[in-house]
Amino acid sequence: MASPALLHSSASSFHSHFPALSSRGSLRLPGRHSLTVKAETNIVLVEKSQAETTSRLKKSYLETIVPLLKDEFSYTNIHQVPKVTKIVVNCGIGDAAQNSKGLDAAVNELALITGQRPVKTRAKNAIATFKIREDQPLGIAVTLRGNVMYSFLDRLINLGLPRTRDFQGVSPNSFDGNGNYSIGFREQSVFPEISYDALGKPRGMDVCISTTAPTDKEAHKLLALMGMPFREGAVSSNVVRKKKLKRHHFDSKAKQRARR
């Protein structure tokens, strides 16, 4: 066990070798190879105190929705109750890829809506037909988790969707079969964070809500209890889609006709 005097001497030597951060938020280490670390504090999307507070939707989920789901589906373990794990918001920038100002404007608008700075999605391969170069930015995306996710979902359900033009409810058939739900917006102006006067070119975005529900029925019930305004009179069902025919199917049919 180290003595207090030894610990005090070690701490003093550590502070003497590594000085504290300056007012600008930079740290320079002594020696031949110096390292400078700068903290960007110009843009603050979500305050730390606000990020740590529990969202009202999360509080409602823990106190009200979990007992209802547990009773309806007869879960034996509380960990079997489905929950929302993450929300992915994707936005294509289109012609803004050639314009740096348009790209920055799209990033700032999505950051205001979600409360988190998005990342740029780039092309993996070059496609000459669509004039796409390799590593060219094609869109922006942001993945939300935790309290920021619940805050965005609350604003999406109670503010974004009701302000949509001619809104009659969302479709209950947009589940992917694994408990994940996707919804699209034609314009981002439905969110109150963006001023309509300062809005430039209207952009759409896709919102994918990932849940731990094993079936679409359980995920539908989870989102309905959270307040998702599903369309009245429509029941979620597994739509059987026709199998897409490939080239060899048409070749075989042509050969059969030729033989006749």
Side-chain angles (χ1 to χ4, degrees), residues 7-46:
L7 293 176
H8 181 71
S9 60
S10 302
S12 60
S13 61
F14 175 81
H15 288 293
S16 62
H17 285 84
F18 300 97
L21 289 173
S22 62
S23 58
R24 294 183 178 180
S26 61
L27 173 64
R28 183 173 295 276
L29 303 179
R32 183 177 179 181
H33 302 283
S34 60
L35 176 64
T36 304
V37 181
K38 293 183 178 180
E40 298 291 341
T41 58
N42 296 330
I43 300 176
V44 179
L45 299 178
V46 179

Side-chain angles (χ1 to χ4, degrees), residues 168-214:
Q168 298 179 357
V170 295
S171 174
N173 297 323
S174 298
F175 292 91
D176 62 347
N178 297 319
N180 303 319
Y181 186 75
S182 299
I183 185 174
F185 288 89
R186 293 184 178 180
E187 294 183 1
Q188 298 178 354
S189 59
V190 296
F191 291 91
E193 290 83 4
I194 297 181
S195 177
Y196 186 81
D197 298 334
L199 183 65
K201 183 178 180 180
R203 299 184 181 88
M205 66 179 187
D206 299 327
V207 179
C208 181
I209 305 173
S210 300
T211 67
T212 58

